[in-house]
Amino acid sequence: MWRAAALLILVVAAPVLAAPVRIFAVGHEQRLDDAVSHQAFRDKMAAMMDATAPNRASLVQAGVDDVASHLFPTDPAAPPAALVVFPESTGLIAAFIGSRGATARLQPNAPLAIVSLVGPYGPQMAHYSAKFPGQPLVRNLVVALTDTLYRAVYETFRDLAIAHGVYLAVSADIAPARRIEEADDPALVALLRDPDEPGRTYAYEATSPRAANVTWVFAPDGAILVPDGNGGSLRAPTETGGELRGSIDKAYLTPIEQPPPGEAAGLSLAAGPVRAMEVLDTPVGRLAIVISKDAWMVDVNDRFVAKGADVVLQPEAFSSWAYDTTEWSPDVFKEGGFANLQKNPEWAVNVNASMTGNLLDITFDGQSAILGRRQKIDPGPLSPDNAWVGQNPDTGFLAVAPWIIPDPGIADGSLTLAARRAALAAAGAPLLPGSGVPCGGSLVVGSCENGYREAVVFADVELPDAVGSVPVDPVREAPPQFSAAVRVNGAENAPTAQHAPRVASKGNRVVVAWHEAAAGALPNVFLAVSNDGGATFGAPIRVSDNAPGAVAELHPAIAIRGRRVAIVWQEFASGRNDDDGRIQLAWFNVRGSKQGGDVRVDDRDDGGKWLPSIAFAGPRPVVAWIDERDPGPEGEPLEHVYAARAATGGRAFGAAVRVDAGT
């Protein structure tokens, strides 16, 4: 049986790599000074991008790098393609822009600041209350901010993408919207338009009350790339009927983002459906976007693996960093995107752009970083380039921003980890709102109130040239006390990645199933059978009755009873559209001969179906899976566990039943 266990590791062939991409993580410090006007917000972000921007010294901390000087052809050594990532909630501070936000900017805390916006935005809130009745108060306020936010955030970053010829990702808490012209509806434009800009001939109107934490990915021509639901992308607004919407909506909200009981100070954002989290295929990578908390969620990461991502964007507004040793925040952070990058060999890089700075009484801190895969080499002594503060050195850091002070372990290698963290926490505590340690200016960096550091870091990354091709895992070594690995999937005409291997055995018969896709094709499920305890395997066999490449088949599972082998898998109803799926089963004997046609396991076509598992209850197979048929409080599909039991003989299944006891 040791041979069967060893089969869980499948060999992946090495592809030809595409040209490199230069990737930037921009971690700006947010300041209320940058929310005085639309122009102030634009000037700040332009200065983060370009060291030659006017008055940069009054907008950006001294010594901070930029993006523009490292782009081709200004930098002849730079790759032609570039991706720039800004943090989560970069647009949050834009809610306080202009005269309508003046009172809010003076408040001592975020709850009072939010309440202070209700009066100035009263007319807009009344408009949206009529348009979208029944919304929570704070949600209605966020929707009422639509014109302000699009004017500041959307237009600023659209123009920066165009000006610098880059792909650019940025996040905001915002509703979908459309641009309306004064010539078409002067009264509506006058109502929604910022009163500080009476000459503006257009405004932005929300098209939905579902304000969410979104990330926009801008193409170099200023279009927002949004998924088409079938593995491709559309360009907003030209291919979306004029609607501007996020490239992705955050699925797992933090407490401050959720609709609060009793209308407290939460943002009342809508959660994005996990099944709507799609990969964007671009010249700078097949982009997966995990906004903060999403980076820790297994279902989110597994879907992006299944959908062929190779570049993971992790925009962050992390609430703490190095001021509390009870739970060391950089350790928690490393358990998210960094850990998932090491787990999934298809992923080449994680781009973490972290916002810093106190927003009234809310803290944001972190060290922006560009992360690669660990290497089986000594990381060397602790340095600013091989760890976040308060951690031991590690490989996998391609670039990492500094914190307010260096880790004391760099200068004194005799310090224990606990001593280093205690020193860092002592330096971090004065950063907090109300610490009583003044900084002497909003751009001062140090151990003082709001003395956070901002940074721009970058790295050149080589990406796989196509879906289904991945680099050889650089950390792979021969497992201890196992025999040499045996190739299960057979010879290949072109390098192809295999995924999700599952193994079962009966006596000396070993059956392995997996899914794979040739470059650019839809994945299909295969099996291979060994008659000699896993020493050798026969040729791979396609499992389903579908025509090769016609249907996306994923995540097989196997159970064996007697001489019967049952294999289940999930498949999409069409193309790469995972909104509607099926769970299918096929019967084989232990020699690998198929016994009859495919059997439908689940009982309805609507909703995605994911990650089936199978076991026998006596002679009958029982299959369980994740099902998205049930709607949430706002109609969003929720993930629940369903199961179905086969009738005698296993040629038909009864109605699916919900297994988990949640509501």
Side-chain angles (χ1 to χ4, degrees), residues 76 240 246 293 308-309 526 586 597 605:
T240 56
K293 189 175 178 180
F526 290 81
D605 291 334

Side-chain angles (χ1 to χ4, degrees), residues 15-247:
V16 177
L17 295 179
V21 174
R22 182 157 288 183
I23 299 178
F24 297 82
V26 179
H28 66 285
E29 182 193 24
Q30 60 176 355
R31 309 179 305 161
L32 285 172
D33 293 347
D34 302 322
V36 172
S37 66
H38 292 290
Q39 190 62 49
F41 183 86
R42 175 178 288 259
D43 289 346
K44 168 69 175 185
M45 301 308 165
M48 292 299 299
M49 288 286 290
D50 190 348
T52 67
N55 302 315
R56 191 181 199 244
S58 66
L59 298 169
V60 177
Q61 293 167 0
V64 174
D65 208 343
D66 75 339
V67 173
S69 66
H70 301 291
L71 296 175
F72 183 85
T74 303
D75 180 356
L83 169 65
V84 182
V85 183
F86 276 77
E88 177 190 19
S89 296
T90 291
L92 183 60
I93 203 167
F96 305 119
I97 279 177
S99 60
R100 290 182 293 188
T103 300
R105 295 195 298 271
L106 299 175
Q107 299 306 308
N109 57 55
L112 287 177
I114 291 173
V115 171
S116 297
L117 293 172
V118 172
Y121 281 88
Q124 293 76 31
M125 293 181 70
H127 167 74
Y128 287 114
S129 290
K131 185 179 178 71
F132 306 120
Q135 299 302 313
L137 174 65
V138 180
R139 170 82 63 83
N140 192 31
L141 173 62
V142 176
V143 176
L145 287 161
T146 295
D147 179 73
T148 298
L149 298 177
Y150 274 89
R151 174 74 174 98
V153 187
Y154 164 72
E155 291 192 7
T156 291
F157 288 98
R158 176 200 63 191
D159 294 349
L160 288 173
I162 294 171
H164 296 285
V166 297
Y167 286 84
L168 189 153
V170 66
S171 299
D173 303 318
I174 205 163
R178 65 186 178 97
R179 174 170 161 157
I180 54 174
E181 303 296 332
E182 189 174 59
D184 299 322
D185 197 336
L188 186 56
V189 170
L191 171 66
L192 300 179
R193 179 182 56 206
D194 191 330
D196 297 342
E197 298 184 310
R200 179 152 54 99
T201 61
Y202 63 91
Y204 295 94
E205 182 186 30
T207 56
S208 165
R210 290 183 58 81
N213 184 338
V214 311
T215 294
W216 288 316
V217 177
F218 290 96
D221 63 359
I224 300 174
L225 303 181
V226 299
D228 66 0
N230 198 33
S233 62
L234 303 172
R235 304 168 66 79
T238 57
E239 296 177 348
T240 56
E243 185 179 58
L244 299 161
R245 58 179 184 262
S247 302

Side-chain angles (χ1 to χ4, degrees), residues 25 96 153 164 169 203 296 310 368 391 396 457 502 544 547 563 568 643:
F96 305 119
V153 187
H164 296 285
W296 282 260
D310 52 37
S368 296
Q391 294 183 327
V457 297
R502 295 295 181 267
S544 80
R563 302 182 63 80
V568 294

